[in-house]
Amino acid sequence: MAQEIERKFLVLDDSYKHEAFASYHIQQGYICSERGRTVRVRIRDNQAFLTIKGPSIDGGLSRSEFEYEIPLEDAEQLMTLCEPGMIDKTRWLVKSGEHTFEVDEFHGENAPLVMAEVELKTPAETPKIPHFIGKEVTGDRRYYNSQLRRNPYSQWYNI
């Protein structure tokens, strides 16, 4: 079984942009975003992916994940079948020690949210945390992309 193990953090400032070795634009929609399972369509620049995720375990640290590259044209058509609300973001890749942090700068209704994720090999693994990383939000469902689609950050972050 494919397993995703990751930690999520809020980002303190935009210094990650100067340290990034790559970036790309992402648009994603959800065909299904029920609790415990999601089916996501993602367009990343000129590539497209279909991702199926299971329920979170270990306090939101891990879950099953299956991702498949699909034709761009198929993804564009699948986007029309998605639930209301799309995620639009720029992803920046920043190396820190042995790990790569994926820093997501959200656009539209989820601006000015900036979050970083780091994928791990085991739940006990400890990555080298970059200086721009703030509060950990692993397991906080409000920060799941599928939830941000329903309840955008701009509607609740000042509360």
Side-chain angles (χ1 to χ4, degrees), residues 86 88-89 106-113 152 154:
M86 293 287 180
D88 184 24
K89 60 189 179 181
F106 289 83
H107 308 297
E109 288 188 297
N110 285 302
L113 178 61
S154 63

Side-chain angles (χ1 to χ4, degrees), residues 8-12 129-137:
K8 289 185 176 208
F9 304 88
L10 297 179
V11 172
L12 299 172
I129 305 295
H131 62 91
F132 56 80
I133 295 295
K135 177 183 173 187
E136 184 164 4
V137 294

